[in-house]
Amino acid sequence: QVQLVESGGGEVQAGGSLRLSCAAPGSIFRIAAMGWYRQAPGNERELVARITSGGSTIYVDSVKGRFTISRDNAKNTVYLQMDSLKPEDTAVYYCSALVLVTGTNYWGQGTQVTVSS
């Protein structure tokens, strides 16, 4: 069973920052497009940001200019730096590892991010 281990969630006031981390097995990390999704109560899970094994990134429009996704290939870890947080960023954030050659998407357990106004 592939395990993605997340950390870094918590509660912060609007305008603050948090950094999420997600560690994956090296055999998966090397070939996967790593991403962060989020799901707020009553909403569908949405892609927040993704970074390919080659370093290309995409972001949902609502976080562009505020969030930065990066990966450390030596540590098999992907990060999501979240700045200028807003109450609408409140959600459970999930790490994902998408292996395109098999079409398999692995998930982390989720970490709560709460932004208070």
Side-chain angles (χ1 to χ4, degrees):
Q1 180 127 3
V2 175
Q3 275 195 311
L4 305 183
V5 181
E6 302 166 5
S7 61
E11 184 167 355
V12 66
Q13 289 191 330
S17 298
L18 285 173
R19 189 175 83 154
L20 306 182
S21 302
C22 171
S27 59
I28 298 297
F29 189 86
R30 281 191 296 271
I31 60 174
M34 300 299 297
W36 289 96
Y37 287 70
R38 67 186 178 187
Q39 187 167 20
N43 290 357
E44 293 187 354
R45 192 174 296 189
E46 67 168 350
L47 175 65
V48 176
R50 178 175 286 151
I51 184 167
T52 67
S53 57
S56 297
T57 59
I58 59 170
Y59 297 90
V60 67
D61 285 347
S62 59
V63 308
K64 285 180 181 177
R66 300 188 299 120
F67 290 11
T68 303
I69 190 169
S70 61
R71 61 192 292 159
D72 185 332
N73 293 332
K75 296 182 179 180
N76 299 326
T77 299
V78 63
Y79 304 98
L80 185 68
Q81 178 66 42
M82 304 184 293
D83 299 320
S84 302
L85 281 160
K86 303 176 181 180
E88 52 263 43
D89 295 317
T90 295
V92 178
Y93 283 70
Y94 296 91
C95 176
S96 89
L98 176 61
V99 179
L100 292 173
V101 293
T102 63
T104 304
N105 199 3
Y106 301 95
W107 294 98
Q109 78 280 7
T111 185
Q112 176 71 45
V113 171
T114 301
V115 184
S116 57
S117 57

